Amino acid sequence: LAGGPGFGGQVRISTVDSINKLGEYFSKFPGIGPRQSKRFVYYLLRQRKESVDELITLLKKLKEDTKICASCSRYFPSSEIGLCSICADRNRSNETLMVVEKDIDVDNIERSGVFTGKYFVLGGIVSPLDKNPGRKIRIEELKDLIKKKAKNNTLREIIMALSANPDGEETTDYVVQAISPLLSENKTKISRLGRGLSTGSELEYSDTETIKNAFARRT
Ligand SMILES: [Zn+2]
């Protein structure tokens, strides 16, 4: 048999199975299953080499070129001042602060054009079973920001804009409990956007109309 013993020794082929390896990588992406991840791989194989090279360069630079905003904690293209474009925008109000779970929620709300205040990105969500919820979200950073704003006496409203599901509710309750002692009740109110979203809906998947309605009906 070809390649078998006694036929010029064993044929050794070192194989880096790029298709499967890359497929495995993509399957770890949020919301991507094994079948979809393979589709990505085959899509890349069909692209011109230059376009794949461009993607490689972008991936290489992503971490280097991106920083976390010193104020709202969202990712932004690195700049001298250390603040993202929203936090650095003087035309945006400092009277309202919207607390969201993730960066993509900021993008979504910005697209709706309904909000002109500032944001804070918690970076996660807590669930009722978490023993140490404070470690999963940026609660200390949020408290620091609120203390700073309280000192300047500018903050009128904090809008909790987390998803309308049990974990979102749990996180909202946890955050409200943690920040309430920092606020004087008659100066800063805390409202919840989730009550304007239909139950179970995630902010990430809400369209502009839904966000506008939820914003108008926040309580
Ligand atoms: Zn920012």
Side-chain angles (χ1 to χ4, degrees), residues 186-213:
N186 43 10
K187 275 188 187 144
T188 311
K189 72 164 184 169
I190 301 176
S191 59
R192 297 181 183 217
L193 192 70
R195 288 176 183 160
L197 295 167
S198 56
T199 310
S201 66
E202 284 200 42
L203 199 57
E204 183 178 348
Y205 305 110
S206 301
D207 56 37
T208 292
E209 236 10 75
T210 309
I211 291 173
K212 277 185 184 166
N213 285 332

Side-chain angles (χ1 to χ4, degrees), residues 69 71-72 74 84 87:
C69 175
S71 181
C72 71
R74 67 191 269 257
C84 75
C87 290

Side-chain angles (χ1 to χ4, degrees), residues 154-191:
T154 49
L155 199 54
R156 297 284 168 268
E157 183 182 1
I158 295 174
I159 304 167
M160 295 302 303
L162 304 176
S163 296
N165 54 34
D167 284 358
E169 295 284 320
E170 179 74 19
T171 310
T172 298
D173 290 343
Y174 178 80
V175 171
V176 168
Q177 210 170 22
I179 63 175
S180 292
L182 307 173
L183 306 165
S184 52
E185 239 171 83
N186 43 10
K187 275 188 187 144
T188 311
K189 72 164 184 169
I190 301 176
S191 59

Side-chain angles (χ1 to χ4, degrees), residues 7 9 38 66 73 82 84 102-103 122 124 142 150 169 187 202:
F7 197 82
K38 273 291 178 61
T66 310
S73 293
C84 75
K102 45 193 184 291
D103 288 73
L122 276 179
L142 177 60
E169 295 284 320
K187 275 188 187 144
E202 284 200 42

Side-chain angles (χ1 to χ4, degrees), residues 49-152:
K49 189 180 178 300
E50 300 85 77
S51 115
V52 176
D53 284 343
E54 194 186 356
L55 177 65
I56 292 167
T57 311
L58 280 173
L59 285 173
K60 274 188 181 160
K61 284 166 67 186
L62 182 64
K63 282 276 198 181
E64 289 165 28
D65 293 355
T66 310
K67 293 269 177 301
I68 289 180
C69 175
S71 181
C72 71
S73 293
R74 67 191 269 257
Y75 289 110
F76 75 106
S78 169
S79 72
E80 297 272 294
I81 50 170
L83 291 177
C84 75
S85 57
I86 294 177
C87 290
D89 188 345
R90 283 159 191 250
N91 292 319
R92 296 190 71 118
S93 165
N94 279 312
E95 294 191 346
T96 43
L97 180 70
M98 193 183 282
V99 179
V100 297
E101 181 195 337
K102 45 193 184 291
D103 288 73
I104 203 140
D105 298 332
V106 175
D107 299 343
N108 242 351
I109 293 163
E110 283 299 286
R111 207 173 310 127
S112 78
V114 76
F115 181 62
T116 53
K118 301 281 172 74
Y119 294 93
F120 185 83
V121 179
L122 276 179
I125 205 116
V126 302
S127 68
L129 295 172
D130 284 328
K131 288 210 176 75
N132 193 349
R135 281 172 61 180
K136 287 181 76 181
I137 57 175
R138 300 187 181 109
I139 193 69
E140 292 309 319
E141 288 89 336
L142 177 60
K143 279 156 88 177
D144 287 345
L145 180 66
I146 288 173
K147 276 182 212 159
K148 212 184 287 173
K149 283 180 180 283
K151 212 180 275 175
N152 296 336

